């Protein structure tokens, strides 16, 4: 006989709510309504937003059978994890019915994308951009679908720092670049569930080399975020559709480039103007007709 399916931590929480003390019910409802934040933000941050004592999150976890908040948070993270064998098809749902079903899906997706952007931390991005400004060299790693984010960030940064920015593996095998990481440099690694082994190797190499590690990820628990100096979180899984969303990652990348350029002052502006002049001389863009 097959084993019964294990209930999810959110189901356990909701079932237990009526029997909990009133204050723990309030904290429990906050966690249930913000399960993504519960997996990505610190207990102190969650408590501040919920207007609760941080210890209440530990009491809540113990009240529903967990040893503490860390164990409950790990269970919530695992519950959000797609099947490794089917990370994309497992997200897919049957086609909706009705004359406007496709439009409704698009509307739901656009609303989810828009809702996730305000939850990105502007302060965290600004702090990371200051590290990029101070870095002697900037390395960027993004694999599979995250390659597009890495290439966009590489392009924007190279407009005003052409000699100091490089995509990991762009000019040869990755391992040659991993051995070139040095203290005083910054390494940006981009990824979301399911995480690539290559992104983890880059992050570990940056950490061992003493370089500043910046992770653009969907969770604090992302393996390529372990030991990072800066973790810039975006929502990948909340958007409907068979494929996770990169909208937040793209927004973070463009914000990093914008702030790094601003911090560069007159020197960055001069380098950008030089780049523009070279592009114009090469007739890169279609001429505007007056």
């Amino acid at each position: 006989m097959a084993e019964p399916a294990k209930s999810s931590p959110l189901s356990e929480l909701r079932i237990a709510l009526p029997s909990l003390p009133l204050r723990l019910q309030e904290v429990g409802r906050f966690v249930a309504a913000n399960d993504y934040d519960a997996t990505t933000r610190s207990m102190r941050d969650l408590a501040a937003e919920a207007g609760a004592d941080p210890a209440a999150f530990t009491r809540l976890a113990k009240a529903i059978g967990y040893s503490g908040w860390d164990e409950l948070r790990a269970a919530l993270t695992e519950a959000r994890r797609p099947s490794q064998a089917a990370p994309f098809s497992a997200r897919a749902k049957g086609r909706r019915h009705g004359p406007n079903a496709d439009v409704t899906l698009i509307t739901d997706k656009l609303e989810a994308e828009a809702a996730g952007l305000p939850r990105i931390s502007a302060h965290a991005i600004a702090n990371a951009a200051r590290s990029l400004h101070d870095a002697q060299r900037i390395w960027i790693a993004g694999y599979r679908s995250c390659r597009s984010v890495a290439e966009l960030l590489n392009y924007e940064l190279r407009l005003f720092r052409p000699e100091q920015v490089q995509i990991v593996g762009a000019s040869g095998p990755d391992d040659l670049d991993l051995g070139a990481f040095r203290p005083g440099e910054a390494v940006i690694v981009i990824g979301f569930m399911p995480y690539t082994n290559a992104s983890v190797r880059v992050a570990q190499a940056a950490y061992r080399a003493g370089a500043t590690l910046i992770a653009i990820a969907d969770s604090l628990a992302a393996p390529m975020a372990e030991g990072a100096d800066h973790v810039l979180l975006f929502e990948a899984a909340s958007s409907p559709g068979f494929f996770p969303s990169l909208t937040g990652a793209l927004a973070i990348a463009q914000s990093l480039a914008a702030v790094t350029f601003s911090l560069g002052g007159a020197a960055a502006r001069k380098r950008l103007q030089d780049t523009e002049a070279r592009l114009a001389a090469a007739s890169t863009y279609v001429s505007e007709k007056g």
Side-chain angles (χ1 to χ4, degrees), residues 79-223:
R80 294 179 62 88
R81 189 186 304 274
S83 167
Q84 279 297 98
F88 310 126
S89 62
R91 290 172 48 87
K93 296 178 173 57
R95 188 174 185 273
R96 304 181 189 188
H97 299 288
N100 296 313
D102 297 336
V103 173
T104 300
L105 173 60
I106 294 169
T107 299
D108 290 347
K109 185 165 179 58
L110 292 175
E111 289 178 351
E113 307 280 2
L117 292 178
R119 291 193 277 269
I120 295 173
S121 172
H123 290 289
I125 296 174
N127 288 335
R130 282 189 278 273
S131 291
L132 293 183
H133 171 66
D134 293 337
Q136 298 165 11
R137 178 180 289 274
I138 299 170
W139 301 86
I140 308 171
Y143 296 92
R144 303 186 70 82
S145 61
C146 291
R147 179 78 176 193
S148 60
V149 184
E151 289 182 343
L152 173 64
L153 181 54
N154 175 68
Y155 176 73
E156 293 195 19
L157 290 174
R158 281 177 61 86
L159 288 172
F160 60 94
R161 290 184 65 172
E163 299 93 357
Q164 301 166 323
V165 182
Q166 183 173 331
I167 288 183
V168 174
S171 59
D174 287 11
D175 59 278
L176 295 180
D177 288 340
L178 303 193
F181 297 164
R182 296 290 183 268
E185 300 179 344
V187 180
I188 304 168
V189 185
I190 307 155
F192 64 87
M193 179 79 68
Y195 309 104
T196 63
N197 290 318
S199 67
V200 178
R201 286 194 293 271
V202 172
Q204 291 174 342
Y207 181 79
R208 288 194 299 268
T212 297
L213 175 59
I214 299 172
I216 301 177
D218 61 339
S219 171
L220 285 173

